[in-house]
């Protein structure tokens, strides 16, 4: 049977990730409770509002089981708000409700680091595919930065996979790929495929 | 007049304000609740309750109805105060066709501009050219033709108009069903009938063809207008809305904070009646409502714009 991919679907652009995973021919399940975590080959933490997702991780009882599944080695792709949720520490969390991150990614993540929506942008970025265990002759990837965070001060086992204008925009730490932008807004599924591959490497 | 396209390319190959970047933010707001707020204190209540964004406005629609007169863009200082008090996106409304109010909102750094029938229209013939802006726009629609006209002008998100400030969901249901029904009808038409369909819908032909082949709108489709209870929010989600705007429904109710929290839960668990029963318990009185059928035609906001 085809591998089953899970997407944390508390809020955000889980629909776009579903399309990317379907394009890869995977079965897809929206994760909204602890039971939904069983049998997954990978999980995606999508973009969206990290304050809302953090609150809903608690109200659904998903916080501990999701933390434990990722800590136990479940291949994990985090985009934008998902990366904020994984961080060890946050900066720029200036709102009235603080995000309570899972602390699984050894890095500080700076929220809304490029400014507001008028500062959001699209571009192409260069990925170090070798660090993802992939031999890809085409390093460039279309990327959307939407009220995006920045990754600061990664720890010794958190490897930089991509930079944009010198700033870290993607890191790999074992079974986790955490990025600050949105590859799921294009038809390019190479990032999703690479994370699925973490499970077999 | 405004420039042709609001996006800008920089020397490093990046592009700000492109259409896909605008629609991208709308995608990020899916599965959430966007709440109308009139001051920083309400914005904080909304953010703490789990709102994905707030809509900054001078008065909620129920009070705009009561006050009468001309409803305009909110005051700049109030919008700034709300932007400073929360980390989630802040939206604000401009009058239909009032592109200078939109320019001011963009200059303020508002994350999404709502060209809204809740305010008194500034132009009876023309809507804003939304492609001319870097900031994304949301517009209301009663049916598919209206939705596609707004998308043609550059809207990155569509919402039902509903009948704002009434606490009555009937119009939002009518608009959502009408958009969904017309989309379904298009998907079964042979190609040669699509130009006539475009003529009848009064919608751009290329967008009609796109919808006919994909079976959905090219931008996120949200619900607004008359949502007062968790059940109303879940109803709109089950009818195909991807996020719910709540205007007067929260801050015109007896106890806004628990109601706001309950509506957030209702949108997440929209297809789980047991959960809906749980979150609907003990909320106090919802806002008192207005019967849309008995309203005078000139009191209706949904008929503003075309």
């Amino acid at each position: 049977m085809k591998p089953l991919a899970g997407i944390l679907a508390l809020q955000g652009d889980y629909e776009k990730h579903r399309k990317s995973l379907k394009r890869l021919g995977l079965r897809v399940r929206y994760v909204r409770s602890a039971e939904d975590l069983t049998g997954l080959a990978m999980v995606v933490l999508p973009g969206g509002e990290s304050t809302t997702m953090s609150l809903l991780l608690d109200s659904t009882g998903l916080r501990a089981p999701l933390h434990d599944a990722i800590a136990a080695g479940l291949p994990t792709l985090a985009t934008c708000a998902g990366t904020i949720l994984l961080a060890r520490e946050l900066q720029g969390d200036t709102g009235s409700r603080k995000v309570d991150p899972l602390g699984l990614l050894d890095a500080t993540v700076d929220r809304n680091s490029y400014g507001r929506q008028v500062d959001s942008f699209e571009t192409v970025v260069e990925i170090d595919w070798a660090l993802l265990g992939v031999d890809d002759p085409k390093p460039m990837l279309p990327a959307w930065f939407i009220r995006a965070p920045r990754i600061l001060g990664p720890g010794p086992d958190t490897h930089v996979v991509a930079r944009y204008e010198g700033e870290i925009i993607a890191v790999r730490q074992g079974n986790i790929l955490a990025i600050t932008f949105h590859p799921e807004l294009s038809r390019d599924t190479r990032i999703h495929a690479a994370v699925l591959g973490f499970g077999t490497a | 007049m405004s420039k042709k396209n609001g996006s800008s390319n920089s020397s490093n190959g990046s592009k700000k304000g492109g259409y896909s970047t605008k629609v991208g933010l709308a995608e990020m707001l899916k599965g959430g609740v966007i709440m109308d707020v009139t001051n920083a204190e309400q914005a904080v209540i909304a953010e703490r309750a789990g709102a994905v964004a707030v809509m900054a406005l001078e008065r909620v629609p129920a009070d705009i109805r009561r006050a009468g007169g001309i409803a305009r863009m909110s005051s700049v200082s109030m919008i700034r105060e709300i932007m400073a008090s929360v980390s989630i996106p802040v939206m604000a409304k401009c009058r239909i066709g009032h592109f200078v109010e939109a320019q001011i909102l963009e200059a303020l750094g508002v994350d999404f501009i709502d060209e809204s029938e809740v305010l008194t229209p500034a132009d009876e013939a023309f809507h804003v050219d939304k492609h001319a802006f870097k900031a994304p726009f949301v517009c209301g629609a009663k049916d598919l033709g209206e939705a596609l006209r707004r998308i043609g002008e550059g809207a990155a998100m569509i919402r039902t108009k509903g009948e704002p400030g009434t606490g009555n969901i009937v119009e939002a249901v009518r608009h959502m069903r009408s958009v969904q029904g017309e989309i379904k009808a298009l998907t079964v038409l042979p190609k040669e009938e699509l130009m006539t369909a475009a003529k009848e819908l009064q919608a751009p032909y290329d967008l009609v063809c796109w919808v006919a082949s994909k079976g959905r709108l090219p931008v996120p489709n949200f619900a607004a207008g008359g949502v007062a209870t968790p059940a109303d929010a879940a109803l709109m989600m089950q009818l195909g809305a991807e996020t719910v705007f709540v205007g007067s429904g929260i801050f015109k109710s007896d106890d806004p904070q628990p109601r706001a929290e309950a509506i957030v839960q209702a949108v997440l668990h929209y297809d789980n009646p047991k959960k809906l029963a749980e979150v609907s318990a003990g909320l106090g009185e919802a806002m008192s409502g207005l019967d849309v059928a008995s309203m005078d035609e000139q009191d209706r906001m949904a008929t503003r714009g075309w």
Side-chain angles (χ1 to χ4, degrees), chain B residues 59-80:
Chain B
R59 291 189 288 259
V60 294
D63 289 335
I64 289 175
R65 283 185 185 287
R66 195 156 313 135
I70 304 300
R72 309 179 179 91
M73 178 187 86
S74 299
S75 87
V76 164
S77 55
M78 187 268 275
I79 294 171
R80 280 205 173 117

Side-chain angles (χ1 to χ4, degrees), chain A residues 11 96-97 116 147 165, chain B residues 12 28 47-48 87 111:
Chain A
Q11 190 276 316
S96 64
R97 166 177 279 280
R116 306 193 69 92
R147 289 171 49 95
E165 312 231 291
Chain B
N12 62 11
M28 301 309 148
E47 183 172 58
R48 290 209 173 126
S87 66
D111 296 294

Side-chain angles (χ1 to χ4, degrees), chain A residues 82-125:
Chain A
T83 293
I84 295 169
L85 284 182
L86 282 182
R88 168 172 43 75
E89 207 177 318
L90 295 181
Q91 246 181 47
D93 193 17
T94 55
S96 64
R97 166 177 279 280
K98 304 298 173 208
V99 176
D100 183 9
L102 293 166
L104 289 161
L105 182 73
D106 189 10
T108 298
V109 177
D110 186 32
R111 283 191 66 193
N112 297 335
S113 193
Y114 296 84
R116 306 193 69 92
Q117 172 63 14
V118 287
D119 303 304
S120 294
F121 59 97
E122 60 190 283
T123 188
V124 286
V125 297

Side-chain angles (χ1 to χ4, degrees), chain A residues 11-195:
Chain A
Q11 190 276 316
D13 78 327
Y14 42 82
E15 174 70 24
K16 284 285 168 192
H17 279 288
R18 192 183 68 89
K19 287 207 170 112
S20 298
L21 295 166
K22 283 281 183 191
R23 261 186 214 118
L24 283 175
L26 304 181
R27 291 183 297 138
V28 177
R29 178 194 287 159
Y30 284 155
V31 174
R32 289 180 172 138
S33 69
E35 303 85 76
D36 295 335
L37 287 165
T38 53
L40 298 184
M42 67 176 283
V43 71
V44 175
L45 311 189
E49 282 311 309
S50 52
T51 49
T52 305
M53 285 193 241
S54 175
L55 177 154
L56 296 175
L57 275 180
D58 289 319
S59 75
T60 54
L62 253 173
R63 178 178 291 277
L66 179 67
H67 174 281
D68 295 351
I70 297 171
L74 178 63
T76 301
L77 170 61
T79 60
C80 195
T83 293
I84 295 169
L85 284 182
L86 282 182
R88 168 172 43 75
E89 207 177 318
L90 295 181
Q91 246 181 47
D93 193 17
T94 55
S96 64
R97 166 177 279 280
K98 304 298 173 208
V99 176
D100 183 9
L102 293 166
L104 289 161
L105 182 73
D106 189 10
T108 298
V109 177
D110 186 32
R111 283 191 66 193
N112 297 335
S113 193
Y114 296 84
R116 306 193 69 92
Q117 172 63 14
V118 287
D119 303 304
S120 294
F121 59 97
E122 60 190 283
T123 188
V124 286
V125 297
E126 184 172 350
I127 303 290
D128 186 346
W129 293 100
L131 268 180
L132 305 184
V134 177
D135 181 21
D136 197 312
K138 285 187 285 184
M140 304 312 279
L141 181 79
W144 282 259
F145 292 78
I146 296 178
R147 289 171 49 95
R150 275 191 176 90
I151 299 171
L152 310 167
D157 296 321
T158 306
H159 305 286
V160 177
V161 171
R163 289 178 185 268
Y164 177 75
E165 312 231 291
E167 314 264 6
I168 303 170
I169 56 169
V171 291
R172 177 171 182 185
Q173 179 190 305
N175 57 309
I176 295 171
L177 176 60
I179 62 185
T180 61
F181 57 90
H182 297 281
E184 74 279 8
L185 296 181
S186 80
R187 298 178 64 86
D188 195 314
T189 55
R190 288 177 293 161
I191 285 284
H192 296 79
V195 174

